[in-house]
Amino acid sequence: MNQDRVLEAFRQESGVLSDAISELSEAEWSLPTRCTPWTVRDLLGHVCVVIDWLPGMLDAPAPGAATISAADYYRPDDRFSPQTNSARIALAQDRAAEPADGAAFAEHFTATWQRVDRLCRVQPSSRTVWTRHGDAMLLPEYLLTRVVEVAVHGLDLADALGREPWLTSSAGDAVLELLLGAEQMAAADKLGWSQPHFLRKATGREPLDETEAAQIEQLGIRWLALG
């Protein structure tokens, strides 16, 4: 996927998330999310962690060639094992515990994604990176996985807060293309689903009834392992 397009989706989706959390009450920060055992605060901690892998990746020597695409990145291997998930939960909770209050944490999130945006903006589209799982990826492909994180967990946060989803069309389009492939985007329109509804269904956040399951199967959707 084009790096400029992915970066624009990352900027827009991260920006609306910053806006959404900028005025949360302390009580709202403690609300539970569907991503058990995380609260709203913990889940934002996770989003900070997964975005903040990038500076270190860009500081490290680049691999010679990419071997993994964004879709391949979500293969169900040890990266989603119980042990890795336990570490993922702890990292998020540790990150969430750092800022003194919700307002400071919202500012921390904004500073985190803006730094990553600045660093990535000056990289060539041919730049490769090593992920923490040992995958060699093109930077735009890895950035697409970060768009997935911000977009899908943005839905989780909106639902936890009882708000309408703030999913941007640029991020929604990018994630749907990853799930479906560019050739199936038009076919997905026939379902008549909104992007938030589609992503909730496609990521297991809402159950599929029998008819919906058949429609999704016909589209040949790429089911992503999301720990």
Side-chain angles (χ1 to χ4, degrees), residues 74-152:
Y74 290 102
R75 63 194 183 277
D77 59 15
D78 288 347
R79 73 194 64 205
F80 300 112
S81 69
Q83 295 84 356
T84 304
N85 277 332
S86 294
R88 187 178 288 116
I89 289 168
L91 280 171
Q93 291 173 329
D94 288 347
R95 188 65 166 262
E98 291 176 10
D101 56 31
F105 197 19
E107 291 176 0
H108 172 73
F109 168 70
T110 298
T112 298
W113 76 257
Q114 288 181 344
R115 177 189 179 212
V116 166
D117 177 53
R118 288 193 301 271
L119 291 172
C120 291
R121 213 181 305 162
V122 298
Q123 298 294 325
S125 59
S126 59
R127 175 69 154 92
T128 53
V129 293
W130 289 110
T131 74
R132 71 188 185 97
H133 302 294
D135 297 322
M137 297 181 71
L138 283 168
L139 179 59
E141 289 290 300
Y142 185 74
L143 278 170
L144 180 54
T145 70
R146 302 308 90 179
V147 174
V148 172
E149 296 280 352
V150 181
V152 173

Side-chain angles (χ1 to χ4, degrees), residues 196-218:
H197 183 73
F198 193 107
L199 292 186
R200 288 192 189 98
K201 293 285 187 180
T203 59
R205 280 156 170 77
E206 289 183 4
L208 294 165
D209 62 29
E210 192 171 316
T211 300
E212 291 169 337
Q215 291 172 316
I216 289 291
E217 181 69 22
Q218 190 173 23

Side-chain angles (χ1 to χ4, degrees), residues 1 34 52 58 75 92 132 144 153 219 227:
M1 189 172 288
R34 63 166 58 91
D52 215 15
L58 292 172
R75 63 194 183 277
R132 71 188 185 97
L144 180 54
H153 287 314
L219 285 172

Side-chain angles (χ1 to χ4, degrees), residues 49-73:
V49 168
V50 299
I51 291 173
D52 215 15
W53 292 122
L54 267 157
M57 291 163 63
L58 292 172
D59 281 343
T67 59
I68 295 296
S69 69
D72 294 331
Y73 176 85

